[in-house]
Amino acid sequence: MNHQGKPPQDNLTEIIEFVLLGFADMPHLQWLLFGLFLIICIIILMSNGTIFLITKMDPALQSPMYFFLANFSFSEMWYVSTTLPRMLINIGTQRRRIPLVACATQMSFFLLFRGIECLLLAVMAYDRYVAICNPLHYPRVVNHRVCIQLVTGCWTIGIPLTIGHTYQTFSLPFCGSKLINHFCDIPPILKLTCGDTFVNEMLVYVVAVLFAVVPFLLILGFYSKIISIILKLLSATSQAKAFSTCLSHLMVVVLFFVSGIIAYLRPNTRHSEGIDKILSLFYTILTPLCLIP
């Protein structure tokens, strides 16, 4: 952790823009990466957009499970849109500068939609838990009003924390360097700041625990109950059917939460730019691609 005293005034720099390095160290692969990321962006946006439209328009898909899936697909489109388009612009134009306000906005929306998806995955696990473990009470427990309340909570609970976190991070003084390894996220921004970042780093851990560790543990608890119920089913066909409704969601949970927890809860002393870039690439591009339901 960067627990320094107040830096000398001469070392402070008024930062009005940053430089997103991205893959500048791979000039011979620029257009290959541009094409690859463009295809991935189109696949993610079109797939999730199609899922969202179908679940809204098809009368046969007006159940709580598909209602939550539609909201997850909608948030996934916004999540990807906060990073991939800027990455494509940087690679295509080689103009890697981003204004401070735009950087703060990118980080704010990235954190918001990341948090929303964490909470939605927990809600989806709860939906599967009630459907499998208490099927007779499912229509009453997970009714339309409850679904609206759960989704509304997911979409609003993280807004104050996200805004406050972003404001506190960008209120810190910066020391000369304005190079960001991949995109505007908390760890690379804190590396550019001066002074004592203890409060900011503790806030990162608190938010990570609230929006990643706690939902992840809740999901594991729901699925431990679900698996115990499924194993008691006498018919192999019934077991296979029950597992099939949960397997894709469980795979999404593992990919999404493990990548996020490693990225934000890894000790700073072990950070390296190469590992940070790989992790950033994983949870901003590869994970959303794998999360397509």
Side-chain angles (χ1 to χ4, degrees):
M1 293 185 182
N2 183 24
H3 308 313
Q4 303 172 4
K6 185 176 180 181
Q9 194 66 28
D10 293 342
N11 292 335
L12 299 182
T13 303
E14 184 179 356
I15 300 290
I16 59 173
E17 64 180 8
F18 297 96
V19 177
L20 302 177
L21 295 178
F23 301 92
D25 56 341
M26 305 176 184
H28 56 293
L29 296 177
Q30 294 298 297
W31 289 109
L32 175 62
L33 292 173
F34 179 85
L36 177 63
F37 294 159
L38 179 61
I39 292 172
I40 291 175
C41 184
I42 292 173
I43 291 174
I44 294 173
L45 293 178
M46 290 189 65
S47 300
N48 283 284
T50 301
I51 292 170
F52 177 77
L53 291 176
I54 290 176
T55 53
K56 291 298 182 182
M57 297 173 62
D58 191 341
L61 301 179
Q62 303 306 307
S63 65
M65 181 177 70
Y66 292 106
F67 176 76
F68 296 135
L69 179 60
N71 278 272
F72 184 83
S73 295
F74 184 72
S75 65
E76 184 74 0
M77 289 189 292
W78 282 101
Y79 172 72
V80 171
S81 298
T82 61
T83 54
L84 267 179
R86 169 64 69 170
M87 193 182 304
L88 291 171
I89 292 173
N90 293 346
I91 296 175
T93 65
Q94 296 300 306
R95 297 175 181 175
R96 304 181 182 278
R97 298 180 182 276
I98 179 172
L100 185 144
V101 174
C103 186
T105 302
Q106 183 187 66
M107 190 180 87
S108 179
F109 279 106
F110 176 80
L111 295 175
L112 175 62
F113 290 112
R114 183 83 180 184
I116 288 172
E117 292 190 354
C118 290
L119 297 177
L120 281 174
L121 287 171
V123 168
M124 293 167 74
Y126 171 73
D127 173 68
R128 293 298 83 206
Y129 163 75
V130 178
I132 294 175
C133 298
N134 297 286
L136 297 179
H137 298 286
Y138 181 72
R140 179 177 59 84
V141 175
V142 190
N143 54 48
H144 183 68
R145 186 169 68 88
V146 171
C147 291
I148 295 293
Q149 291 174 343
L150 289 172
V151 169
T152 301
C154 292
W155 278 88
T156 58
I157 195 172
I159 293 177
L161 281 174
T162 300
I163 295 175
H165 206 341
T166 303
Y167 174 78
Q168 187 173 16
T169 300
F170 282 88
S171 296
L172 293 170
F174 294 94
C175 298
S177 176
K178 55 182 180 180
L179 303 179
I180 298 177
N181 196 33
H182 194 51
F183 72 98
C184 295
D185 197 6
I186 299 172
I189 294 295
L190 287 181
K191 286 182 179 181
L192 306 181
T193 61
C194 301
D196 191 350
T197 60
F198 177 78
V199 174
N200 299 81
E201 291 173 357
M202 288 300 100
L203 185 58
V204 170
Y205 291 130
V206 170
V207 172
V209 168
L210 291 177
F211 285 89
V213 177
V214 171
F216 185 58
L217 293 177
L218 286 174
I219 292 171
L220 292 181
F222 290 139
Y223 272 105
S224 65
K225 294 288 187 180
I226 290 172
I227 292 173
S228 66
I229 292 295
I230 291 176
L231 294 177
K232 293 178 182 178
L233 297 176
L234 298 177
S235 169
T237 304
S238 300
Q239 289 181 349
K241 184 178 179 181
F243 271 121
S244 66
T245 62
C246 302
L247 185 59
S248 60
H249 180 254
L250 194 56
M251 291 176 61
V252 166
V253 166
V254 172
L255 282 170
F256 192 85
F257 281 98
V258 169
S259 63
I261 289 173
I262 292 175
Y264 288 97
L265 295 184
R266 243 175 1 118
N268 283 340
T269 54
R270 299 181 184 176
H271 279 193
S272 70
E273 291 187 358
I275 295 177
D276 286 345
K277 183 175 291 187
I278 292 173
L279 282 172
S280 297
L281 185 66
F282 186 81
Y283 66 77
T284 57
I285 297 178
L286 299 182
T287 303
L289 185 63
C290 297
L291 295 187
I292 297 174

